């Protein structure tokens, strides 16, 4: 990842404010206490995004980072942070616990509670921010696995360190279809690390099964436009049988075909009424959301909304008279 902030090109008097602004805007609101004097502060930060995940790779002189109680209370989107130690050591403290990280190790901590990160030897670290909701893990499990050194004893954690380190520095994985393809595996891998910590297989299985319905529906939303979206594909993506998939959805009162069709129609309706509604034909918009047959698309759209897709578009984009 190429650095987007390098204090070598920033006047010493402006360095602390520029760094604070970049971190607050791109990662999270924290207090930053630099150990050296302003003229000796050295920071190189690379920033990236992979879908809903945010990535910050940093090399810097010694610093203490604090997420205060005041800042934690203002959190609008609860997040879980993954901090990977590249070289040197650091300390993470939260919820009355603390852990030391060495090269090849990492820890997780939450944005909704105060925390402190100590980098007495300087910073060589990757920070990855995950939406807390995406992990869909019980509060207690998250509390039990925050501020725990991960990597040396847990084989899944060792695998995760290599994976997330590569994800952090690979610009190719931050773009287009590559980024879309790695979001779900990234979330699943972090979930696997946290639930398998200390070999608690029963604890791992419970949250995964309890959140399966949520993860399945999120997968469907993410792939609504795919023409080959099917029960078999959805089941395979989650390592379950088609029968198990239907049972999970049934517990939530969801009929798979109706659920997909309803959301695809809603996307078509939104696009037809949107500012670019006339840039493509009605049939093309229907095809882009999985309706291969134009006649069938028009029929189910009218059944759902009491109006044909063409008339709906015309009502929202009346043609100007000559």
């Amino acid at each position: 990842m190429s650095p987007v902030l390098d204090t070598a090109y920033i006047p010493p008097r402006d360095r602390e404010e520029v760094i604070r602004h970049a971190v607050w805007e791109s990662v999270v609101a924290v207090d930053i206490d630099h150990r050296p004097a302003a003229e000796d502060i050295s920071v190189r930060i690379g920033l990236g995004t992979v879908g809903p995940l945010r990535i910050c790779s940093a090399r810097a002189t010694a610093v203490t980072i604090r997420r205060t109680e005041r800042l934690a209370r203002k959190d609008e989107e609860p997040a879980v942070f993954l901090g990977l130690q590249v070289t040197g050591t650091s300390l993470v403290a939260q919820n009355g616990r603390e852990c030391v990280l060495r090269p090849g190790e990492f820890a997780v901590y939450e944005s909704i509670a105060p925390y402190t990160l100590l980098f007495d030897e300087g910073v060589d670290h990757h920070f990855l921010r995950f939406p807390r909701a995406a992990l869909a893990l019980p509060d207690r499990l998250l509390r039990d696995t925050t501020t725990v050194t991960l990597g040396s004893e847990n084989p899944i954690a060792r695998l995760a360190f290599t994976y997330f380190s590569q994800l952090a520095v690979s610009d190719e994985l931050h773009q287009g279809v590559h980024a879309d393809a790695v979001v779900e595996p990234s979330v699943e891998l972090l979930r696997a690390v946290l639930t398998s910590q200390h070999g608690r297989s029963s604890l791992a299985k419970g949250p995964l099964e309890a959140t399966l319905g949520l993860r399945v529906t999120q997968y469907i939303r993410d792939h609504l436009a795919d023409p080959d979206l099917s029960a078999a594909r959805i089941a395979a993506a989650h390592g379950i049988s088609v029968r198990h998939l239907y049972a999970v959805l049934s517990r939530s009162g969801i009929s798979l075909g109706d659920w997909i069709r309803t959301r695809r129609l809603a996307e078509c309706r939104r696009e037809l009424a949107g500012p670019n509604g006339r840039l493509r034909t009605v049939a093309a918009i229907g095809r882009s959301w999985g309706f291969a047959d134009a006649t069938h698309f028009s029929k189910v759209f009218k059944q759902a909304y009491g109006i044909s897709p063409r008339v709906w578009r015309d009502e929202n984009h009346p043609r100007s008279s000559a």
Side-chain angles (χ1 to χ4, degrees):
M1 181 188 299
S2 302
V4 297
L5 187 153
D6 190 337
T7 53
Y9 304 100
I10 301 171
R13 66 178 182 276
D14 297 330
R15 288 176 183 173
E16 292 190 45
E17 178 57 28
V18 170
I19 295 166
R20 187 194 70 82
H21 179 77
V23 172
W24 280 48
E25 289 296 313
S26 303
V27 188
V28 67
V30 287
D31 289 343
I32 306 173
D33 179 16
H34 297 274
R35 302 293 178 80
E39 61 271 17
D40 296 322
I41 292 175
S42 175
V43 176
R44 298 175 76 243
I45 295 177
L47 300 170
T49 59
V50 179
L53 314 183
R54 298 184 189 180
I55 300 171
C56 173
S57 292
R59 299 190 69 179
T61 44
V63 67
T64 299
I65 297 172
R66 293 184 179 87
R67 174 80 163 167
T68 65
E69 187 172 348
R70 177 181 60 84
L71 293 174
R73 282 200 304 267
K74 294 182 178 180
D75 203 12
E76 295 180 358
E77 183 189 15
V80 172
F81 285 94
L82 175 62
L84 299 105
Q85 190 72 29
V86 181
T87 64
T89 61
S90 65
L91 184 143
V92 183
Q94 186 175 56
N95 296 327
R97 292 199 305 267
E98 60 183 42
C99 65
V100 175
L101 301 181
R102 297 174 178 83
E105 298 176 336
F106 63 94
V108 297
Y109 44 97
E110 297 187 82
S111 67
I112 58 173
Y115 60 76
T116 299
L117 310 179
L118 298 177
F119 296 95
D120 289 338
E121 303 172 7
V123 181
D124 191 1
H125 211 78
H126 300 307
F127 305 87
L128 289 86
R129 173 179 174 144
F130 290 74
R132 197 173 188 271
L135 290 170
L137 289 172
D139 292 346
R140 182 172 180 178
L141 187 147
L142 278 174
R143 286 195 302 270
D144 288 346
T145 49
T146 56
T147 329
V148 173
T149 301
L150 302 166
S152 57
E153 301 297 331
N154 186 333
I156 300 178
R158 292 199 299 270
L159 171 67
F161 183 90
T162 301
Y163 172 89
F164 287 120
S165 295
Q166 182 63 31
L167 180 63
V169 301
S170 176
D171 290 334
E172 290 181 325
L173 294 177
H174 302 171
Q175 303 169 10
V177 295
H178 301 299
D180 294 339
V182 299
V183 170
E184 184 170 352
S186 299
V187 172
E188 293 289 350
L189 181 54
L190 181 55
R191 185 184 290 115
V193 171
L194 299 181
T195 56
S196 66
Q197 179 60 19
H198 302 306
R200 295 182 292 180
S201 57
S202 61
L203 188 60
K205 183 177 179 180
L208 289 174
E209 181 64 26
T211 62
L212 183 56
L214 175 65
R215 290 184 284 120
V216 164
T217 53
Q218 184 60 51
Y219 178 89
I220 296 171
R221 290 189 185 95
D222 292 341
H223 295 85
L224 268 180
D226 297 356
D228 62 342
L229 185 64
S230 65
R233 177 182 163 186
I234 297 166
H238 293 84
I240 59 176
S241 67
V242 172
R243 182 177 180 180
H244 189 180
L245 170 67
Y246 280 119
V248 168
L249 294 176
S250 177
R251 289 198 294 268
S252 300
I254 294 175
S255 169
L256 181 61
D258 291 344
W259 201 88
I260 292 175
R261 182 168 56 252
T262 297
R263 278 148 187 81
R264 282 177 166 173
L265 286 172
E267 291 296 334
C268 291
R269 186 171 184 263
R270 176 189 59 77
E271 192 166 336
L272 287 164
N276 299 321
R278 284 200 178 277
L279 295 183
R280 293 189 296 165
T281 65
V282 169
I285 291 174
R287 281 196 302 274
S288 70
W289 289 102
F291 294 99
D293 185 288
T295 301
H296 173 69
F297 169 52
S298 182
K299 178 181 178 181
V300 295
F301 189 100
K302 188 170 184 178
Q303 288 175 341
Y305 300 115
I307 189 174
S308 73
R310 189 174 305 278
V311 172
W312 169 252
R313 184 179 65 176
D314 290 343
E315 286 186 355
N316 286 275
H317 299 282
R319 295 184 182 275
S320 58
S321 57

